[in-house]
Structure formats: structure tokens, C-alpha cells
Amino acid sequence: MSSEDVIIKTEEAKKNSIKELLKKLSSSETGLSTLEAEQRLSQYGPNEIPEKKVNPILKFLSYFWGPIPWMIEAAIILSAIIQHWEDFWIIFALLMLNAVVGFWQEHKADNAIELLKKKLAQSARVLRDGKYIKKSAKELVPGDVVRVRLGDIVPADVKLMDGDYLLTDESALTGESMPVEKHTSDIAYSGSIIRQGEMTALVAVTGTNTYFGETTKLVEEAKTQSHFQKAVIKIGDYLIALALGLVMIIFVVSLFRQQSILQTLQFALVLTVAGIPVALPAVLSVTLAIGAISLAKKEAIVSKLVAIEEIAGMDILCSDKTGTITKNEISVAEVKFLTGFTENDVILFGTLASREENQDPIDDAIISKIKTMDAINESLTDYKVTVFKPFDPVAKRTEAAIETADGSHFKVSKGAPQVILALSLYEEAISNEVNKTVNAFAAKGYRALAVAKTIGDQDNWQFVGLFALYDPPREDSAETIKIAQTMGVNVKMITGDHTAVAKEIAHQVNLGTNIMPSSSFLNKSDREATRIIENADGFAEVFPEHKYHIVELLQNKDHIVGMTGDGVNDAPALKKADAGIAVAGATDAAKSAADIVLTKPGLSVIIDTVKESRKIFQRMNNYSIYRMTETIRVLFFITLAILVFRFYPITAIMIVLLALLNDAPIMTIAYDNVKYSDKPETWNMRTVLGIATVLGIIGVAVSFGILYIGLEILHLSHEVLQSFIYLKLSVAGHLTVFVARTKGHFWSVKPAKQVVLAVLLTQFIATLITVYGILLPAMGWALALFIWGYALVFFVITDFIKVQVYKLLDHGEIKFTR
């Protein structure tokens, strides 16, 4: 039986268990006090869904006996078979060191991600001590009264108590794609998304006892790889194939020369280790995790780590207007009334069609307006809202049924002018006046909101008037858009507002006023629609499906597209975009669909995120160049020395030291200082392979130079010569880090302290080992200092060659900025 079948079969049982729990709760409860809630919280525990836990011992063993270092374990076994006990214990100790370092680094990365998850904790509007407050969903307890509305994710299993209806999306729980309608006394499940409506509900079940909590035990989330992860893995595969090919040549030649099969096999295995990027998974995860922490400090919480790479390559940002380019501080700028009504009527009926507990910015603006007018505000007590229909993004209006003090009834509605106009009697007679007012408001950058009321309780609507709502641009929007454009990011405004309003705001922030209505690309061929979208500065009067279509068409032209949004209606486009960005104040549904969640309003946060992501990309790019260079340098040198000179330049133990001891500190590259590109990042394999090949070949030539000096000039013994060559490979290898990390000269970007200290510490250890013969034959300080001087001289020469190669490869087209 599939997990989906199990979920469906347990649904009825789940409903019954919830109903039993509800019976235990007092039907008269209307919200707990803070003290009662704290007592219940201590009884029930935090409302958390447990994640799959990994046994730390098994996790540690996975580093000791994992898919990458298995050849090292094979070398240990062969060392025991041929009774090379010294080799056996040294390799074992180094393998243990690798396991400890890998385990500790991933443990730190996991902790970093957990901290970020806490910042994305779901919240709920809960009734405590007689008023609604925002609390973490973890703090809900059975008996709490919560308010759920459009865009919320239901925070617990709840019984609906008051309100008209809800449409809930339970697809994540049951696989059913169609929204489910819920009414009073129905149960709404934790994890479902509110698509329409708003209601008051009683919390029944929290945490692992919820329907969603049970479901998560049956269904695991699939993990996906980003483009950059795939590219890095391809590099790893390439290096492994190269290592295996060269080692196979050595093995065949050794057999032909009738050398010991077991000793040759041991050497071949550990040589393969030198070409395998043992630290690659750890470097990747740690770099992304540390980068995510840096982004969190910039007020951008990464919910999907792979999004960091997508942000680095983003070349088009489709930005929402409200709350991103503008302040989202809506106020009533003007009020216009039609014949037969007054300004007070517009304000009164607009307020009756609003609901304060929803904390909606438009509702808040109208309510704030009436609170400044004492006479009208006091008259609100003469009206009672009997039914309230919340804002629907499709219908684009709210509606309320009103009962007056004398017992009469009527309805009020507020919403988009064209929608309210279509409801109204005498539509044709007043349409010119309404449209003229809307256009006049739009020319000033104001958004029009219409108000209507019925004659009696029938659907005979009268157009009452309009509010002019103003949401001013943020002070930093114009400068931020300019910076984005200089960084190669094309910003396009996407809004549901009137075209004239969008044009005025775009003009104020110097975005460009080629703002098109959504109708400009609808019903066009994909080729024509894409051309219009690429050339436009933005789009107005956009519906959710239009946003999705815009992203899809741009992606089909190989653009990396970022999309900002805050509402449940933005969720499809956020999920479709390469980098979905939920802006500050976004609904839970938008946050769950997005890759990055902003906790600070404005575009500047996004630009900070782009800069930080490009830095993270650079660190991974630098590591890839370093890793490929080292493989080419070590493998080709050893292979050619064995084939041409019939000389093993280093021993198996030395290779293990190079592979493990040198790879451990390279993880500090996650903290390195880098410069970000002023263009969107793309994986340029031509440049990476070109630079790595040149640096690797230079390294091979320099290594043969030290071999010649040791043999022909210094006349070193075989054993000392191997220590001599080992120290050169170790020191030059870590100096390669400083060559690979910059496009300019090594001093053009100051390395991080962590990188410098890691290199100095490991190479100091390597030097002591060879000087005093701790694990290897001793060679003394004189030879060690000669190696350091030799390596430093060729490090500088190699760096100058690298700069010239970069100029040939990219012709200086890519500029870098602090």
C-alpha cells in the first residue's frame, strides 16, 4: 500500500479523533488567558513537527566509511595484508582525522540551517486575554481561538466556529488538487493553505498529533540539485575519471615491470585518493550554509540553499510594487463622492466594508482615516456587521451585510473601481465620471478604491464614491534600482494596480515608464509575447496567472528570473521562478512557495542578497579551480615520474597526507574574502578548465624541477628525496589556494584570516613532520627552508602567468567590485 493510500484511509479516523478531543474542550471557550495558555503549553509541549533524526554515530561512520574515501579503507586492508603496520596505523589515524573534520563541519552547517528555520517559524493570530495578538504557531495549545484568513497556512488542526466559509488547499496533505470548501463546525487541517475566506477557529490538536504531523511520518520531501551543484559534481566525476585513468596506466606498467601486485595496488588506491575531491561535499554544504548565515544578517532568510546559486545568476528581477518599491504605508490622500452622497458617506461605508482584526493595509488606512473624524467614528455604534465576505483576489472586492439601530438592512462593498462600477445601477451614466476620477488619481500616483452600498438588502448597488490611496516610493528605491542595473539585473515592476499609477511610481524611481498593461502580451504568440515582456519596464493590471506566464516565457529564453511577491496569489509565480522571493510581511503561503524570505522591506535587501550570493558563487568557483589544479599537478607529476624515470617520488603515506591533511583546512574557503562580479554569474567551464590546466601544468614542471635539484644537485638519498618532494607538493599545494582565489594578483583581494591561519598551521605541521622525521624520513631544516623559498618564488611567477591567462580567456570583459 502506498503512503498516499495510507493517508486517505486514515483521514476518517483522524477526523473522529479530533472530534473526540473537541468534546473535551468547553464549547463556551472564547480564548485562553496568557496564564492558562502557558499552563497548557507545559502540558502539551511545543507545537512542532519532528524531522527525521540521524544517529550521530552512524553519521560519523559515514565519513569514516563513505562513498568517496572507500579506497583509503581498501588501502588500510592491503597494508595489513602485506604487513606494512606503520602504513596501516598512519593511514587509519589520518582517515579518522578526516572523519572528525567532515562530521564537525557538517554538524556546524546543520546547526546554521536550524537557526534559519527558526527565523521562518510560522505565526498565528491568536485570541489571548480578550484580544488578538500574533504568536508563534509553536505556542498554540488546544483551546486557543485563532483567526485564519486568505494566504495563511492553518497552524494546527482547528474546528471552524465563526465566519462564512473557507476554501482550503489540502494538496500537500491528500494530493487533492481542488480546494476544499469548509464551513462552521468543519475541521481545517494543519498545513493546509487558505485560498479564500476568513473564519475564527478553535484549536483542537497541535504538533505531532495533527493530521499533517502524522502525514510527515509517511511522506518525505524530495531533494533537488541546483545547476551549480550538478556542475561541481561533474567536476568531481571528471577528476575521478582522470585519476582512475592515470592510475590504471601505472598499474599496467607496474605489472609489465613485474613489481609486487599488492604493493602496487596499495599505491594505486591511495594515488586515486589524491585525485578524488574528498572534501567537495563538505566544502559545498559548509560554504552554502555559512553564506546563508551571512544572508540572514542582511535580513534575507534562505529557505532553500540551492537558491543562492540562482540568485547569483539572476539577470531579470520581476519586482512587486507595493511594499518592495513602495513603503507599503498606505494612507487616504483624497476622497471623491458622487451625487447623492457625501464625503462622510464614503468614509463610513468604506469602514463598514473593512475589518480591523485582519490587519490588512488598505483596511487599516480607511479605519485610521475615520478615527481622525470623531463624529463619524462615534456613529459606527449605530451599525452592526452581520455577515462579512473578505477580499477575494479574483472578485477583487469585500462585502458586508449591515444592520442599523432601527432594524433596517443594507450591504456595503469596497474594491477595484471597475468591479464596483460593474455592480452599480446606472453604470453607463456614471462610468465617465468614475473613469475620469480614477485617471486623475493615477496621474498623481494614487490608487483608486471604490465604495458602493445597496438600496435595502437587495443587490441594487449604488456607487458611493472613491478613495485615493497613496503608497509613496521608498527613499532608497531609485538608487537601489540604479545599482541593480549596473550589476546586470534588469528590474521589471509587476503590479495589479492601474497602468497610470504604475507609470507614475516608475517615473518617480527612475525605472523607465514603458509600463504595459497585461493585455499587451495576452493572446499573442509566445515569440511575440516574449519580445514584449523583454522590452517592457514592467506590467500593470496583472493577475496571478499573468505573473506565472511572464516568468515562464522569460525562462524559455534562458533568463534566470527572480520574482518577488507577498500574497497567496503570488505563490505559483514564486514557485515557478528560479529565485522566488517573499517580501517582508508576506503571507505564510507565499513564504512556503519562496526560496528566500525577506524580513526587511525594500529592494535594497534583494540587492544585498544578490551581492552576497555572487560572493558565495565565487568561493565555490575558486575551490573548483584549486581542486582541479591540484589533481592535475599531483597526478601527472607522479604518473610521469613513475613511467619515465621509474621512480616513485612519494610514498603511499605521503599521498594520504596530501589528500586528507591538505583538504581539511580548505573548508575555510567558506569564510574567504572575495569580490563579486558586476554581471550575473554563469558557470564558465572554459575559463575554469583553462586556468586549472595552465596552473596544473606549471605545477608539474616546477615539481620536476625540485626532483632534478634533489637528484642531480643535492644528491639526496631515495628516502630523503621523497620527503623533500612531499614537502614541496604540500607547501606549493596550499599556496595554490592563494593563486586560485583571485582573477587579479594574489594581493588584489585580502584573504580571510581563517584561510591564512589554516594554511600556516597545516604547512607548519607538514614542515615539522619532514624536518624531524615524525612520520616520514627526516631531512633537516636547511632542506625545508630551501623548499619554502623555492615554492614561494614559483608561487609569485605562477601568479603573474595566471593574470595574463585570464586576460586571454575573458579579454577583460568581466569587472569585479567590492
Side-chain angles (χ1 to χ4, degrees), residues 43 56 103 172 193 243 285 540 544 596 600 673 707 773:
Q43 175 186 353
F103 174 80
I193 300 171
S285 61
I596 293 178
K600 177 183 174 182
N673 300 322
L707 174 60

Side-chain angles (χ1 to χ4, degrees), residues 323-327 473-484 508-509 600-608:
T324 306
I325 294 177
T326 63
K327 292 182 177 181
R474 298 181 58 84
E475 290 82 359
D476 61 346
S477 289
E479 181 63 24
T480 304
I481 289 170
K482 183 179 178 181
I483 294 172
Q508 292 179 29
V509 297
K600 177 183 174 182
L603 267 179
S604 61
V605 191
I606 301 174
I607 302 307
D608 286 340

Side-chain angles (χ1 to χ4, degrees), residues 234-294:
K234 284 181 180 178
I235 289 174
D237 293 342
Y238 165 76
L239 296 178
I240 291 171
L242 180 64
L244 291 175
L246 292 175
V247 167
M248 188 64 67
I249 293 172
I250 292 174
F251 190 74
V252 172
V253 170
S254 298
L255 289 178
F256 181 76
R257 292 173 179 172
Q258 297 183 343
Q259 295 172 339
S260 169
I261 294 177
L262 288 178
Q263 289 187 358
T264 301
L265 183 59
Q266 181 204 31
F267 185 84
L269 285 170
V270 293
L271 181 59
T272 305
V273 169
I276 294 175
V278 179
L280 189 147
V283 171
L284 181 64
S285 61
V286 171
T287 302
L288 291 176
I290 298 303
I293 292 291
S294 298

Side-chain angles (χ1 to χ4, degrees), residues 14 18 47-49 122-125 136-148 152-160 166 168 170 173 186-194 201-213 588:
K14 191 70 186 175
I18 293 173
N47 178 13
E48 291 178 328
I49 305 299
Q122 187 183 341
S123 61
R125 283 177 292 274
S136 168
K138 289 169 55 177
E139 298 181 43
L140 293 181
V141 293
D144 267 329
V145 173
V146 294
R147 185 79 179 166
V148 290
D152 287 349
I153 294 177
V154 179
D157 286 351
V158 298
K159 180 181 180 181
L160 302 177
L166 291 180
T168 62
E170 298 179 352
L173 308 179
D186 285 342
I187 297 164
Y189 296 115
S190 170
S192 57
I193 300 171
I194 308 300
L202 180 68
V203 174
V205 183
T206 63
T208 57
N209 295 318
T210 63
Y211 184 35
F212 182 67
D588 290 333

Side-chain angles (χ1 to χ4, degrees), residues 193-477:
I193 300 171
I194 308 300
R195 296 297 184 191
Q196 280 188 27
E198 58 186 59
M199 293 187 74
T200 302
L202 180 68
V203 174
V205 183
T206 63
T208 57
N209 295 318
T210 63
Y211 184 35
F212 182 67
E214 295 292 334
T215 303
T216 53
K217 297 176 184 177
L218 301 173
V219 183
E220 291 185 5
E221 183 180 356
K223 294 184 178 179
T224 58
Q225 293 176 337
S226 72
H227 299 119
F228 188 68
Q229 283 177 307
K230 291 176 182 177
V232 172
I233 289 170
K234 284 181 180 178
I235 289 174
D237 293 342
Y238 165 76
L239 296 178
I240 291 171
L242 180 64
L244 291 175
L246 292 175
V247 167
M248 188 64 67
I249 293 172
I250 292 174
F251 190 74
V252 172
V253 170
S254 298
L255 289 178
F256 181 76
R257 292 173 179 172
Q258 297 183 343
Q259 295 172 339
S260 169
I261 294 177
L262 288 178
Q263 289 187 358
T264 301
L265 183 59
Q266 181 204 31
F267 185 84
L269 285 170
V270 293
L271 181 59
T272 305
V273 169
I276 294 175
V278 179
L280 189 147
V283 171
L284 181 64
S285 61
V286 171
T287 302
L288 291 176
I290 298 303
I293 292 291
S294 298
L295 289 175
K297 293 176 181 177
K298 305 279 188 182
E299 308 284 349
I301 310 300
V302 179
S303 60
K304 300 178 182 68
L305 284 181
V306 294
I308 290 174
E309 177 246 335
E310 305 292 6
I311 285 280
M314 180 178 70
D315 63 324
I316 292 180
L317 173 63
C318 296
S319 174
D320 191 32
K321 177 180 71 68
T322 305
T324 306
I325 294 177
T326 63
K327 292 182 177 181
N328 198 22
E329 296 176 359
I330 299 174
S331 60
V332 176
E334 294 182 28
V335 178
K336 174 72 174 179
F337 55 90
L338 266 63
T339 304
F341 296 96
T342 66
E343 179 178 329
N344 288 353
D345 290 333
V346 179
I347 296 170
L348 173 63
F349 298 140
T351 302
L352 292 173
S354 304
R355 182 164 279 189
E356 189 169 12
E357 57 263 39
N358 287 348
Q359 299 172 344
D360 180 87
I362 293 177
D363 287 6
D364 289 346
I366 295 171
I367 293 168
S368 296
K369 179 68 175 177
I370 200 171
K371 285 181 179 179
T372 65
M373 308 172 74
D374 294 338
I376 314 176
N377 193 31
E378 290 173 5
S379 69
L380 282 175
T381 56
D382 296 332
Y383 302 92
K384 179 183 178 183
V385 178
T386 56
V387 178
F388 186 85
K389 293 182 180 179
F391 180 79
D392 179 348
V394 177
K396 287 189 174 291
R397 68 185 183 95
T398 64
E399 183 180 314
I402 309 298
E403 181 180 344
T404 65
D406 60 8
S408 60
H409 297 82
F410 64 94
K411 296 178 184 177
V412 291
S413 181
K414 74 176 193 311
Q418 65 271 25
V419 172
I420 300 299
L421 187 61
L423 285 177
S424 306
L425 297 170
Y426 317 116
E427 177 185 355
E428 293 183 5
I430 62 173
S431 60
N432 286 337
E433 183 181 358
V434 170
N435 290 330
K436 183 178 178 181
T437 303
V438 169
N439 291 332
F441 285 168
K444 300 177 184 178
Y446 299 160
R447 176 181 176 183
L449 183 76
V451 177
K453 72 173 291 288
T454 61
I455 303 170
D457 57 0
Q458 302 301 313
D459 286 338
N460 297 318
W461 292 92
Q462 293 178 297
F463 199 107
V464 178
L466 299 113
F467 287 104
L469 303 175
Y470 184 54
D471 182 14
R474 298 181 58 84
E475 290 82 359
D476 61 346
S477 289

Side-chain angles (χ1 to χ4, degrees), residues 394-614:
V394 177
K396 287 189 174 291
R397 68 185 183 95
T398 64
E399 183 180 314
I402 309 298
E403 181 180 344
T404 65
D406 60 8
S408 60
H409 297 82
F410 64 94
K411 296 178 184 177
V412 291
S413 181
K414 74 176 193 311
Q418 65 271 25
V419 172
I420 300 299
L421 187 61
L423 285 177
S424 306
L425 297 170
Y426 317 116
E427 177 185 355
E428 293 183 5
I430 62 173
S431 60
N432 286 337
E433 183 181 358
V434 170
N435 290 330
K436 183 178 178 181
T437 303
V438 169
N439 291 332
F441 285 168
K444 300 177 184 178
Y446 299 160
R447 176 181 176 183
L449 183 76
V451 177
K453 72 173 291 288
T454 61
I455 303 170
D457 57 0
Q458 302 301 313
D459 286 338
N460 297 318
W461 292 92
Q462 293 178 297
F463 199 107
V464 178
L466 299 113
F467 287 104
L469 303 175
Y470 184 54
D471 182 14
R474 298 181 58 84
E475 290 82 359
D476 61 346
S477 289
E479 181 63 24
T480 304
I481 289 170
K482 183 179 178 181
I483 294 172
Q485 291 167 343
T486 61
M487 294 176 64
V489 179
N490 183 5
V491 180
K492 296 181 184 294
M493 180 193 293
I494 310 292
T495 179
D497 272 354
H498 192 281
T499 303
V501 174
K503 284 186 176 183
E504 176 60 25
I505 295 296
H507 172 71
Q508 292 179 29
V509 297
N510 300 320
L511 179 61
T513 55
N514 185 24
I515 307 295
M516 310 288 288
S518 58
S519 57
S520 63
F521 64 86
L522 298 178
N523 302 318
K524 297 279 197 309
S525 66
D526 284 355
R527 183 176 180 180
E528 177 65 13
T530 303
R531 184 189 64 79
I532 294 170
I533 292 170
E534 284 186 313
N535 293 332
D537 295 315
F539 292 91
E541 302 173 37
V542 171
F543 285 86
E545 59 270 22
H546 302 155
K547 293 184 179 182
Y548 186 95
H549 192 46
I550 289 170
V551 172
E552 185 177 44
L553 289 176
L554 289 172
Q555 287 175 331
N556 290 342
K557 282 295 295 288
D558 296 325
H559 290 289
I560 304 297
V561 184
M563 169 64 78
T564 72
D566 61 354
V568 63
N569 55 325
D570 295 323
L574 290 174
K575 202 166 187 66
K576 176 66 176 172
D578 298 291
I581 304 167
V583 298
T587 60
D588 290 333
K591 290 178 183 177
S592 67
D595 304 304
I596 293 178
V597 179
L598 306 183
T599 57
K600 177 183 174 182
L603 267 179
S604 61
V605 191
I606 301 174
I607 302 307
D608 286 340
T609 303
V610 172
K611 291 177 181 178
E612 202 65 39
S613 295
R614 291 184 185 179

